[in-house]
Amino acid sequence: MDKLTAYQSEGGKMESYQELSRLGYLMDLFHVKGMELADYLHVDTSLISKLKTGKRKINTNSEICDEIVDFFIMLDKRSNYASVKGLLMEAGQASKETEASALKVLLKRWLVEENDANSSFTDKTVYTTKVKIFQGKTGRRKAAQEFIQSVLLEKTAQDVYVLDWTEHYSWQSEDTEFFKEWKKQYLKIAEKGHRIVFLISLNHSIDYLINTLLYRLPMLLTGNVQYLYYPVYSPLLYKHNIVVLKNKMALVKIAADEITQKDITHMYTDYPTVRHYEELIKSAYTLCKKSHEVIHHQEIRELIKKLPYKLGNTYVKTKMPFSLVTTSQNFECILAKNDMEEEEQRALREIHKIHHKKFSEDVVNFKYCLLVNKEALIQGLHSEMIPFHELTLFTGREITVDKQDVYRQIEYLIWLLVTFPNFNVAFYRSGQENLLDGLNLWLNENGPVIINQEIDDDSSIIMDEPSICTAFYVYAEKYWYSIPSVEREKESVIRQLKNMLLS
């Protein structure tokens, strides 16, 4: 016979299951009297009596509900929560592996559940889950907001898993304003120290892949985000979108093209169901590969040396037009001006030699497109000192160039444009609502892709999965041709560069 069913009143009369409250069972389990609980809660004993007998229901959103849970968790702390965990295991809502941090949430949920005859507590092999259902795009946004707020309210670092097997679904295309807020909130989750794991399918379109990777790039640079991809194209009938806050909550949307009619998102908070979806994600995790590596400045030098340079067209986007594409004489002059140790200068000269050799070979045989910020270039010509971002990444300390360095570099760009038909320069503008805004980019048609932020940052991201690299290349090409022709046609660019030198 179940313990709660066998629970007896003080008078010895057997009470039916429906007549008992779970608080009454909990008080009996811990031998707590009504006066003791009332004193802790600073309430009248008559209220405790009503709650204990079930004449008054405990409101899950009330402060007293949280305080009751805190009280029993506190009582059980000395025994390492053995009684609470045992109660929840019997209810099918916990296991031996359940972490202590999850017990408060699970005990609260158990405490406020109605004593249904079909409840998990009367049968250890069956449990009844409670689910919130959100319908349509508006409902899905509401569910996402509720999930994000739940994570942000956590005081200790949590694990969040996002499995995205859908092909076309994107906040960005549905609701731009919500997408911006969603992006900020997820970045806040990562910055607070929560660990996020994204798993995606390559079945997505190229536009979707590039959008997804770029809008999550700031998250990747926090170091608390892992991005994985399923490396095989698969004609899945059912497309899953699952978001899990480990041990606590799962958002689930499962759809099949031309089969499922309604756009419905389910929110589960019972432990067994949440664990079920965790297991689904972990199964997918074992089959996925990492989409990127975060490279810190200490590792960038070795990375450049070891990069498997491949023949092919190249796109480079950089705020200032150096990007190691400068003459050896100019490069050495910059090193000397920044008071660098001779040993470090030799190491950087070697890197420049390797990079420039690759550039010289490519520019003869393949298209080399350099995107430059014209406003930054003009500013550099009229400033005593400006940051040299790429070299700063290599050294881990700020490296600067002066207006004479910028002047010589513009002369070099003009020479490259005149000498090599394959070399091209385009001027881009910041703040154009483009996914590459604020980013420096280096990519080869055949991979890999290297990205870092224009602002001071000591990290870069490298990606070498073929489909992802192709997505970036296609996007960079679209971006190039979206720039007005007057800002990218060779004769016009040469004329503008010459005018800069005369100004």
Side-chain angles (χ1 to χ4, degrees), residues 271-283:
Y271 184 78
T273 308
V274 173
R275 286 289 297 165
H276 168 70
Y277 284 108
E278 281 183 33
E279 291 302 321
L280 284 180
I281 289 181
K282 287 180 180 178
S283 296

Side-chain angles (χ1 to χ4, degrees), residues 161-164 240-244 250-253 277 280-281:
Y161 302 97
V162 182
L163 184 148
D164 186 2
H240 296 71
N241 191 282
I242 303 171
V243 187
V244 169
L251 285 187
V252 181
K253 178 180 176 350
Y277 284 108
L280 284 180
I281 289 181

Side-chain angles (χ1 to χ4, degrees), residues 177-238:
E177 290 306 312
F178 176 78
F179 166 73
K180 290 178 180 177
E181 187 59 31
W182 180 93
K183 179 180 173 182
K184 288 180 185 176
Q185 294 298 317
Y186 255 95
L187 180 57
K188 192 180 292 184
I189 287 174
E191 289 175 340
K192 284 190 69 174
H194 302 299
R195 179 173 173 268
I196 309 174
V197 180
F198 291 99
L199 298 92
I200 65 167
S201 165
L202 293 180
N203 287 359
H204 291 94
S205 66
I206 285 178
D207 282 346
Y208 183 92
L209 272 178
I210 195 72
N211 288 350
T212 303
L213 289 165
L214 284 176
Y215 74 63
R216 287 175 182 164
L217 185 67
M219 301 179 210
L220 303 184
L221 289 168
T222 65
N224 293 323
V225 176
Q226 189 176 15
Y227 212 105
L228 305 174
Y229 66 92
Y230 186 67
V232 179
Y233 290 92
S234 54
L236 296 171
L237 175 60
Y238 291 99

Side-chain angles (χ1 to χ4, degrees), residues 164-182:
D164 186 2
W165 249 238
T166 53
E167 295 181 22
H168 310 295
Y169 151 72
S170 170
W171 298 125
Q172 191 174 21
S173 60
E174 289 182 3
D175 186 334
T176 303
E177 290 306 312
F178 176 78
F179 166 73
K180 290 178 180 177
E181 187 59 31
W182 180 93

Side-chain angles (χ1 to χ4, degrees), residues 76 83 103 239-240 248 295 324 382 433 465 470 481:
D76 207 25
S83 296
L103 294 179
K239 282 79 175 180
H240 296 71
K248 299 180 180 181
I295 308 297
L324 296 182
H382 296 87
E433 294 296 321
E465 197 286 321
T470 299
Y481 287 107

